[in-house]
Amino acid sequence: MSGRRPIRLRLSEADPWSVMVTSFLLLAGLGVLVVATAGVAWIMLNAMAPDVLPAFSTFLAVAVGVVIAEVVLGTGLVTLGAFLYNLSAQYSGGVEIAVTEALTGPPPADARALLLMARARRRLRTHIPTRTERDRRTD
């Protein structure tokens, strides 16, 4: 490995406040996407079958209510998970992560695929005539 040593990192504690803020922001962003998607879906469905769906304001109110519940409950559950992780990490020591700089080649399946692609390209080049210098000048 030419002198490279892995860096070992032990995650022994999660800051519940940071976890709560991060999960709130991620879930709020997801909620905005869900409300926008629901609005677009309502518009498309209403265009295909008018007067079948409830009013847009009712539909939007329900979507926003579901998203608010999702953000509050999701943030609470993730924060509770951080507290539970901290409790279990006191006894187990946490999670240890080893990071190295050694870059290996592609996995065997990827390497085989690259070889097959290179062979196919070579075969293709033998069957397709290349452009001559005269052809390039006429373009």
Side-chain angles (χ1 to χ4, degrees), residues 105-127:
D110 293 345
R112 271 187 255 120
L114 287 173
L115 285 173
L116 290 173
M117 287 170 47
R119 286 182 195 149
R121 184 174 184 222
R122 268 182 285 174
R123 285 187 203 131
L124 194 61
R125 285 191 170 206
T126 59
H127 295 297

Side-chain angles (χ1 to χ4, degrees), residues 38-60:
V40 169
W42 185 90
I43 291 169
M44 291 174 60
L45 288 172
N46 195 39
M48 289 189 289
D51 300 329
V52 174
L53 297 173
F56 184 70
S57 59
T58 305
F59 188 79
L60 200 58

